[in-house]
Amino acid sequence: MTVINSKKVQLSCTPETAYNYVTDLNNFSELLPLERITDFKATEDSCSFKAQGSFNIGLKKGQTTPHSKVILEATENSAIKFNLEVYIDEKEGGCEVYQVCNAQLN
């Protein structure tokens, strides 16, 4: 299992606002490098896209802890098996958000 940790980002919004944004996968396209993806499709609970024009990635909402943690899981159609854990920590004046990706890479 490969573990990839993102940098921590400070946001000037409440943990509730960040959580609501992350749990609606319609917003996920705004977090991706648009020049590297095509065929983005989403609902509130899942999304899919083609990465760099070659392989499909699918995500669905998994376990959530209101205002602090969201787990996104790869769907069966995803070329890479992984999950993405999003952590939201309350900080003075807003919140801090970071991600941990757990991937099965060959």
Side-chain angles (χ1 to χ4, degrees):
M1 181 75 62
T2 300
V3 178
I4 303 167
N5 295 295
S6 76
K7 63 181 178 179
K8 295 182 177 183
V9 176
Q10 305 294 319
L11 301 177
S12 60
C13 64
T14 65
E16 179 180 6
T17 299
Y19 175 85
N20 290 339
Y21 182 85
V22 172
T23 55
D24 183 349
L25 294 185
N26 286 302
N27 296 323
F28 201 73
S29 69
E30 296 176 22
L31 304 174
L32 298 170
L34 295 179
E35 68 278 359
R36 295 185 181 171
I37 67 161
T38 57
D39 301 332
F40 183 85
K41 298 178 183 96
T43 67
E44 185 175 333
D45 296 322
S46 67
C47 69
S48 64
F49 54 92
K50 194 171 277 195
Q52 296 192 350
S54 60
F55 56 93
N56 292 317
I57 299 289
L59 290 168
K60 63 182 177 182
K61 201 179 327 179
Q63 179 184 358
T64 64
T65 304
H67 312 150
S68 63
K69 183 178 180 182
V70 178
I71 298 178
L72 303 176
E73 303 168 343
T75 63
E76 301 92 36
N77 297 334
S78 187
I80 300 171
K81 301 305 174 201
F82 70 102
N83 73 24
L84 186 63
E85 301 171 5
V86 181
Y87 294 91
I88 304 165
D89 297 326
E90 187 168 9
K91 298 289 180 186
E92 186 176 330
C95 62
E96 179 178 77
V97 179
Y98 63 96
Q99 301 171 1
V100 177
C101 179
N102 302 291
Q104 295 177 3
L105 302 175
N106 292 331

